[in-house]
Amino acid sequence: MKRLLVFVLLFLFGVMIPIGCTADSPNTGRPGRTDTNILSIYNWSTYIDPDVITEFEQEFGVRVQYDTYESNDALLAKIQPGNPGYDIIVPTSDFVEGMAAQGLLKPLNHDNIPNLVNVDPKFLDTPFDPGNEYSVPYQWGTAGIGYDIEATGEKITSWKQMFDPKFAGQVALLEDSRAMLGVILIALGKDPNTTDPAEIQAAVDYIVDHKEVVATFAPDTGQDLLDQGEVAIAVEWSGDVFQVMEENERIRYVIPEEGTIVWTDNLAIPVGARNPEMAEKFINFVLEPEIGAKISNYVKFGSPNKAAIQQGLILEEDLNNPGIYPPEEVFNKLQYAKELGADTQLFDDAWTELKVAIGR
């Protein structure tokens, strides 16, 4: 989600219509504005079609203030001390569970979200949010391997393959402890949600034993490094790689044969939201088949909107792409990262050890 073109579009978009893009103050009492005519959204960068924001503003007579972040940790750090005024946030599955447990999310009124019926049942009533009390699925995807076919000289099909010594200094690992250690645990035949210190240590040791291949740890920018030819292989989120693939025919994406992490990013309303009623209208708006399809076709992630798929609104080339919409036999190998509570510290400590050992 980091293409330069998208940044340019979002910049122009912000100039042409009154959307604030301040990272720290979503709603600070600007003259002529009230809480009821502002909707403050905090979302991952380059994760929406700008036309969707324009359409919502025009239909509901509000102004959208749109800020972005690069990680769930950044989102949590912004909301945990006290919501500065955001009405919509987009946490990933396990963070929904954790934030709800901390009392950071406001329960949803499903009566105000009738378009929830458009969502594929397999993305509803999930273990991280039973009954969708706090969240509604927005997009979904996988952590996988993006690679430059000319640079590798071969198809990449497995996690272990990217650690081949011939790729020395050519691999970007994802700067995400749960996802990165999780996929290595999967490669080793372990549960990505293990809390066994010995198993987590085995994942760390495996990477350290192959540290010569590691060029860098990329904070969700691995697709850019691939596109620019700085690395040959990058562990990245699916849609991010597919976005650069549109402009770079050398780039490929694969869900490794061992399986991987699957996730959903979810629309939620944080406690302290200043316009929760309009937030629920926005959630319902996003769940309209045409709007849901427009977003997914733009960002190149999977749509949880079954109605959009059934109505033929998803681009056929995307729908037939197994990296975006994997077949059932592949989907069955995908695993969610679960909220581990205090045991998350095991992964944090292991990650710190790994970074020190790698020296990147």
Side-chain angles (χ1 to χ4, degrees), residues 335-354:
Q335 301 185 59
Y336 281 103
K338 299 176 182 177
E339 165 61 27
L340 298 179
D343 286 332
T344 300
Q345 192 64 43
L346 295 171
F347 282 83
D348 293 341
D349 293 344
W351 191 249
T352 299
E353 176 189 340
L354 172 64

Side-chain angles (χ1 to χ4, degrees), residues 214-234:
V214 180
T216 188
F217 290 86
D220 201 12
T221 56
Q223 71 279 1
D224 294 327
L225 299 178
L226 276 176
D227 190 36
Q228 296 159 9
E230 296 184 30
V231 297
I233 299 171

Side-chain angles (χ1 to χ4, degrees), residues 66-306:
Y66 195 92
D67 298 344
T68 63
Y69 54 89
E70 304 297 331
S71 71
N72 282 295
D73 289 332
L75 165 63
L76 185 60
K78 181 72 71 172
I79 300 300
Q80 203 168 37
N83 180 9
Y86 291 113
D87 302 305
I88 290 284
I89 57 175
V90 194
T92 304
S93 41
D94 54 321
F95 273 74
V96 170
E97 185 176 1
M99 295 180 78
Q102 294 178 55
L104 300 176
L105 301 182
K106 179 180 173 64
L108 301 176
N109 183 347
H110 288 192
D111 291 339
N112 296 330
I113 313 174
N115 284 331
L116 194 60
V117 298
N118 293 329
V119 177
D120 190 323
K122 70 183 178 184
F123 295 107
L124 296 175
D125 196 26
T126 58
F128 63 82
D129 187 17
N132 293 92
E133 182 178 1
Y134 298 101
S135 69
V136 168
Y138 176 66
Q139 301 290 295
W140 69 276
T142 55
I145 300 175
Y147 64 100
D148 183 326
I149 188 65
E150 293 185 7
T152 60
E154 63 188 41
K155 291 183 178 181
I156 304 297
T157 60
S158 74
W159 291 113
K160 291 185 178 181
Q161 188 178 354
M162 71 180 185
F163 289 101
D164 190 308
K166 66 184 176 185
F167 298 129
Q170 298 184 59
V171 178
L173 301 184
L174 185 62
E175 180 70 81
D176 185 305
S177 60
R178 287 297 310 279
M180 193 65 242
L181 292 175
V183 298
I184 298 303
L185 283 163
I186 290 174
L188 297 176
K190 307 297 183 182
D191 182 350
N193 297 297
T194 183
T195 56
D196 182 339
E199 292 184 345
I200 297 172
Q201 186 63 48
V204 171
D205 292 344
Y206 185 86
I207 298 175
V208 172
D209 289 344
H210 299 86
K211 65 180 181 180
E212 70 275 5
V213 306
V214 180
T216 188
F217 290 86
D220 201 12
T221 56
Q223 71 279 1
D224 294 327
L225 299 178
L226 276 176
D227 190 36
Q228 296 159 9
E230 296 184 30
V231 297
I233 299 171
V235 179
E236 255 302 340
W237 309 118
S238 51
D240 293 346
V241 179
F242 284 114
Q243 288 182 28
V244 298
M245 283 173 62
E246 288 190 301
E247 301 167 4
N248 189 333
E249 62 183 13
R250 302 189 315 274
I251 307 303
R252 304 286 189 273
Y253 179 82
V254 65
I255 296 174
E257 59 192 14
E258 302 97 329
T260 191
I261 298 293
V262 63
W263 48 265
T264 58
D265 286 332
N266 307 273
L267 298 172
I269 302 175
V271 167
R274 295 174 180 176
N275 201 348
E277 295 83 6
M278 189 58 66
E280 290 184 333
K281 290 180 180 179
F282 180 80
I283 292 173
N284 194 58
F285 179 76
V286 167
L287 293 183
E288 292 181 9
E290 296 80 6
I291 298 301
K294 181 174 288 190
I295 294 171
S296 295
N297 290 339
Y298 186 86
V299 302
K300 301 299 178 185
F301 284 97
S303 174
N305 196 312
K306 188 174 182 179

